[in-house]
Amino acid sequence: MQRIRLRYTKRGRLRFTSHRDFQRAFERALRRAEVPMAYSAGFTPHPKVSYANAAPTGTGSEAEYLEIALTEARDPERLRLLLDESMPTGLDVIDAVEARTSGLADRLTASVWELRLDGVDPAGAERAVAAFNAAEAVEVQRKTKNGVRTFDARAAVVQLETHSSQADRPIDQPCAILRLVVRHVTPAVRPDDVLSGLRAVADLAPPVPAAVTRLAQGLFDEETGTVTDPLAPDREAVTAPSTAAPAAAATASA
């Protein structure tokens, strides 16, 4: 059985698709592309697809991940192209590797988010970010199926800063862009929780809902302060045998 790991996006209006909507679209794409899927056992077999840490409905993403199990081997890049052609524009399959290591979900320990705050003055956003970063704890509330839950939104935040790029800012109104790096903890701290925290510590309240996009997710590197590519170990495992072979041949000839 072959396992393939895929990276896909949620762009444009497709950011409003729920995870269940994506599952339906993806399973249709598997059928259209005639992927030789492995199926679960039981009375209602399902294709073996493992989804990892899906972004909340309404947020865009450049870094969503899943893994599929196949009954026949396929070239990962060819499979990616077939699936991407079968998916709606905006739900784009942009990377594929053969799974050569275990624990993809265990490597998704942090996310990088971009928060676009239309109507918010960048200087005011910078003051709010400074107040949030200076706080030891920032308590926020979130409605859950079991009622209102209060938790600290500060501890999970590794980095929060204003982004200076002018590329995506409108010229006729103020707009602040924030970059957020947050650890995946329990309970999960989401971008909207951080926005609630900014409102709590600095009364920052965007006049329109923030446009939120996940830029990356993976292991957080403590030394560099970056979030690393979770598919890199699988790529390295593919190239390792080819680099080791010449050394082995040289040893044998000696």
Side-chain angles (χ1 to χ4, degrees), residues 48-67:
K48 288 189 174 181
V49 183
S50 299
Y51 299 93
N53 196 40
T57 301
T59 63
S61 180
E62 294 295 313
E64 300 296 288
Y65 295 91
L66 59 80
E67 180 178 299

Side-chain angles (χ1 to χ4, degrees), residues 115-167:
L115 288 67
R116 178 189 171 110
L117 311 180
D118 288 315
V120 173
D121 177 60
E126 191 166 352
R127 289 191 294 270
V129 165
F132 184 95
N133 288 333
E136 292 186 3
V138 179
E139 287 195 346
V140 299
Q141 293 184 330
R142 184 198 303 160
K143 289 183 179 180
T144 70
K145 61 182 181 181
N146 296 321
V148 177
R149 182 171 191 173
T150 302
F151 59 96
D152 177 22
R154 177 65 186 88
V157 175
V158 178
Q159 184 181 64
L160 176 63
E161 61 185 10
T162 56
H163 190 53
S164 58
S165 172
Q166 300 292 325

